[in-house]
Amino acid sequence: MKINGKTRTCGLIGNPVEHTLSPVIHNHLAKTENRNLVYVPFLVEKDRVKEAVEGAYALNIHGLNVTVPYKSAVIPYLTEMDKLAENIGAVNTLVRTENGFKGYNTDMPGLLRAMETENYTIKGESVILLGAGGAARAVAMLCMEQEAKEIFLLNRSVEKAMAVAKEVNGIYKENKIIPMALSDYRKLPERKYLAIQATSVGLYPNIRDAVILEEAFYDRIAAAVDLIYNPYETRFMSMVKAHGGKAMNGLKMLLYQGIIAYELWNEVKILEETAEEILIKMKEELKIHE
Ligand code: NAP
């Protein structure tokens, strides 16, 4: 593309940022759409988040993504918050408005769109949610929004599972989230479950790990999503498949959180065929051959 006086800049703030796939997503979208826009990573040092957000606005930056560890830290420097982002308490997308940046969370809508493309539904399902970190907390909200039947929230530190359950149940004024220790999975009612793996266990280079290694657990899983995408097929996914369930990884979640951010910045709707093209580019970047 030709960079000229009218080129708009979007980017990512976080630390670290050098392994991000977001430039692949956004620069490919801009190219496909013939939009005069570039997307670059910005490494932001701890304690400089305020300057980064205000400076980006002053520099007429069109939109920003936010990654770890700043998804909550940026909030005080925004002029507005989308309701979902406010409930989740984490922001991954900043949209330029007349007075400052407005914060959105596109991770959860991204996960939902990714699941829909693979014909997964949450509504009416019994869900096992593994983990109680930032991602799991947001997935718990998504399950509430999407009217899951019940949500068993399993975490290594049971007190964290209890805190997340209490908070999310409180927001939605329901008691659908039942916190449990990870080791108590044997006490789960006999059902077929949708499992969402939101711990960091199994992430490269620890590819032989899975959050639960006991074979009997996997007999209960009809469908599973692992938020991890490196490795492309986690040990958790392999075990689900070996027991007859279907499994998807988190790469499409990453893709669609990017697409939804791009749609917010540019007020467009991206076609499914474009999304598929970008997925191929992301796999090339990750050196995934299927
Ligand atoms: P986080 O806040 O650090 O939470 C980590 C979670 O993993 C906690 O529940 C923690 O349990 C659990 N955990 C860590 N080591 C464990 C072990 N050895 N055994 C059992 N449980 C363990 O991380 P996060 O931000 O929620 O992210 C979680 C995962 O989601 C990461 O792998 C991340 O890459 C992935 N993710 C993917 C996308 C995407 O776009 N695909 C987006 C966001 C996140 P304790 O509470 O007991 O420590």
Side-chain angles (χ1 to χ4, degrees), residues 131-135 155-157 160 198-201 227-229 250 253-254:
N155 196 48
R156 177 178 60 178
S157 335
K160 267 207 218 165
T199 76
S200 45
V201 183
L227 300 197
I228 293 172
Y229 55 82
M253 172 182 174
L254 182 69

Side-chain angles (χ1 to χ4, degrees), residues 68 71 107-108 111 130-137 154-161 182 197-203 209-211 226-229 249-255 257:
V68 282
K71 288 186 180 187
D107 282 330
M108 284 313 109
L111 174 60
L130 297 156
R137 190 177 169 283
L154 276 62
N155 196 48
R156 177 178 60 178
S157 335
V158 69
E159 60 287 357
K160 267 207 218 165
L182 201 54
Q197 201 303 105
T199 76
S200 45
V201 183
L203 190 63
D209 294 346
V211 66
D226 196 328
L227 300 197
I228 293 172
Y229 55 82
N249 67 23
L251 192 62
K252 277 193 168 180
M253 172 182 174
L254 182 69
L255 166 68
Q257 65 73 31

Side-chain angles (χ1 to χ4, degrees), residues 13 48-58 64 66 74 77-78 94 101:
I13 58 173
R48 305 206 73 180
V49 178
K50 180 177 189 285
E51 287 160 273
V53 174
E54 291 175 357
Y57 192 77
L64 285 174
V66 184
V74 292
Y77 314 116
L78 307 178
L94 307 190
F101 285 117

Side-chain angles (χ1 to χ4, degrees), residues 120-121 125-129 150-152 154 180 185-196 217-225 240 245-246:
Y120 280 66
T121 40
E125 294 292 326
S126 295
V127 177
I128 296 175
L129 174 53
E150 53 194 351
I151 303 140
F152 294 94
L154 276 62
M180 291 170 75
Y185 67 86
R186 291 179 200 86
K187 296 181 188 161
L188 286 165
E190 261 325 304
R191 311 211 201 306
K192 283 288 188 185
Y193 291 94
L194 164 66
I196 304 181
F217 170 75
Y218 293 88
D219 286 332
R220 298 157 180 245
I221 312 301
V225 185
V240 169
K246 65 172 184 174

Side-chain angles (χ1 to χ4, degrees), residues 28 52 57 70 73 99 105 108 127 137 161 178 197 206 231 246 250 263 271 286:
H28 187 77
Y57 192 77
Y70 303 134
N99 321 307
N105 187 305
M108 284 313 109
V127 177
R137 190 177 169 283
I178 301 134
Q197 201 303 105
N206 303 313
K246 65 172 184 174
E263 289 175 340
L271 297 174
L286 289 170

Side-chain angles (χ1 to χ4, degrees), residues 224-242:
V225 185
D226 196 328
L227 300 197
I228 293 172
Y229 55 82
N230 185 13
Y232 195 67
E233 180 163 308
T234 61
R235 175 94 185 262
F236 180 81
M237 290 167 63
S238 308
M239 291 183 82
V240 169
K241 286 182 180 176

